[in-house]
Amino acid sequence: MKYRVTHSTEYGYSAPVALCRNEACLLPRDTLRQKCLASQLQIEPPPTDFRDRLDAFGNRVSHFSIQHPHDKLTVTAISEVEVVADPGQLAAANQSPWESVQKRLTSDRTPLTLDALPFLYDSPLAQRSRQLEDYARPSFPAGRPLGDATKELMQRIYRDFTYEPGFTTISTPLTEVMATRRGVCQDFAHLGVACLRSIGLAARYVSGYIETLPPAGQERLVGADASHAWFSVFAADAGWIDFDPTNNQLSAEQHITVSWGRDFTDVSPLRGVALGGGKHKVFVSVDVARTPVKVA
């Protein structure tokens, strides 16, 4: 499936901003199932300087600054992406009992396992705890295949927690999410990551988009989509397998990956500092549209 993704963020300021420096993580990366065919950042007003780099996790990060007064900043990422489904990913994750993957993380020092180690330990928004270990344990009895165990954990998060936009912020701790059983996709992704880490498995936070389709008979609303997040578990030689607890499904061709990290703090779409500006308002618009298939 091919998509055109347009993600626009607009900051409106009550007073001029004299100087700002920003970091954007908005351009999709290539994966085994995804190819970024084209991408660009459009920035208004035009930046004084601009540079791209790959971060420690291989994500595409853009740095830019604006060194003249402005009362509005608009950053728009436009990307063309092709995604293919992988119906065999669960079977691949089931090649090993979960304990063997856990043991491998403590003893194996091959490059594949070493690359997974940063995702085994605590990060600012996804920290291990006894509470989360106790929540995860029923899905991970002795000898159970990793894929089936993680799938059940995903299903339980989907059943036990209510999706409620606006109930939490990105800084809401998991202890509060556990107490209220409410949140949004970022919370559920962090919950899955922290549960897996709490039983000794490596897990990462994935940031991206998901195609949303309108109800039958209704037109698709341009700009009504949003950023999305899910989690991924390290499955040893099978690589990383993605699970979406918000929608209770493994990632499919409707999931478009932008970046991954230990948690949201590694992959924030846009952040920075500004001198001046007074109060500000933020408007975000995301559009994920299938691109027509060309017929020869």
Side-chain angles (χ1 to χ4, degrees):
M1 193 68 65
K2 292 184 178 180
Y3 298 97
R4 180 180 176 89
V5 182
T6 305
H7 183 152
S8 182
T9 306
E10 179 181 300
Y11 291 86
Y13 304 102
S14 61
V17 171
L19 166 69
C20 70
R21 289 189 174 275
N22 303 277
E23 178 180 280
C25 191
L26 290 165
L27 303 179
R29 61 184 296 158
D30 290 339
T31 74
L32 293 176
R33 298 191 304 107
Q34 174 179 294
K35 178 70 174 178
C36 184
L37 305 174
S39 60
Q40 61 173 312
L41 276 185
Q42 298 177 352
I43 304 169
E44 290 292 338
T48 307
D49 63 82
F50 181 94
R51 61 185 176 89
D52 288 321
R53 68 177 177 91
L54 296 180
D55 70 8
F57 307 114
N59 302 311
R60 302 169 64 189
V61 180
S62 304
H63 297 265
F64 64 92
S65 66
I66 301 171
Q67 300 177 15
H68 50 271
H70 55 282
D71 55 18
K72 183 171 72 172
L73 170 64
T74 303
V75 180
T76 301
I78 303 173
S79 305
E80 303 279 349
V81 181
E82 183 174 16
V83 185
V84 296
D86 181 8
Q89 56 184 326
L90 185 62
N94 278 334
Q95 293 176 2
S96 304
W98 72 271
E99 301 101 322
S100 68
V101 178
Q102 179 195 55
K103 183 177 180 180
R104 178 167 174 170
L105 286 163
T106 63
S107 60
D108 183 41
R109 290 299 176 262
T110 60
L112 181 67
T113 304
L114 288 175
D115 286 344
L117 292 184
F119 304 99
L120 179 62
Y121 304 107
D122 290 345
S123 57
L125 299 178
Q127 299 187 10
R128 296 164 293 177
S129 72
R130 176 58 62 86
Q131 180 188 29
L132 295 176
E133 179 184 353
D134 291 343
Y135 181 80
R137 281 292 177 188
S139 298
F140 290 82
R144 190 174 195 184
L146 175 65
D148 288 343
T150 308
K151 182 180 179 181
E152 183 181 292
L153 174 65
M154 173 191 72
Q155 293 170 334
R156 289 173 52 220
I157 294 173
Y158 176 78
R159 292 195 309 264
D160 294 347
F161 293 78
T162 300
Y163 181 82
E164 188 171 329
F167 188 81
T168 58
T169 69
I170 196 59
S171 60
T172 300
L174 285 178
T175 51
E176 185 174 333
V177 175
M178 288 291 290
T180 61
R181 299 296 170 108
R182 283 171 165 75
V184 293
C185 59
Q186 290 91 344
D187 300 303
F188 305 152
H190 282 140
L191 178 59
V193 167
C195 282
L196 291 166
R197 291 178 185 169
S198 294
I199 59 170
L201 294 171
R204 63 191 185 193
Y205 177 99
V206 186
S207 176
Y209 310 100
I210 186 170
E211 178 195 27
T212 56
L213 299 175
Q218 295 187 24
E219 292 188 4
R220 183 178 161 276
L221 298 177
V222 176
D225 296 312
S227 296
H228 192 45
W230 55 96
F231 68 84
S232 185
V233 65
F234 176 67
D237 292 329
W240 291 85
I241 312 298
D242 290 1
F243 295 83
D244 180 354
T246 304
N247 294 291
N248 192 28
Q249 64 183 69
L250 276 73
S251 67
E253 61 182 1
Q254 287 80 26
H255 288 78
I256 301 164
T257 299
V258 172
S259 53
W260 56 60
R262 297 166 302 166
D263 60 33
F264 176 84
T265 61
D266 288 330
V267 296
S268 175
L270 187 63
R271 57 187 167 191
V273 294
L275 296 179
K279 296 182 179 180
H280 69 274
K281 295 183 178 180
V282 183
F283 176 76
V284 179
S285 172
V286 176
D287 185 58
V288 179
R290 296 188 183 188
T291 58
V293 176
K294 295 182 180 180
V295 179

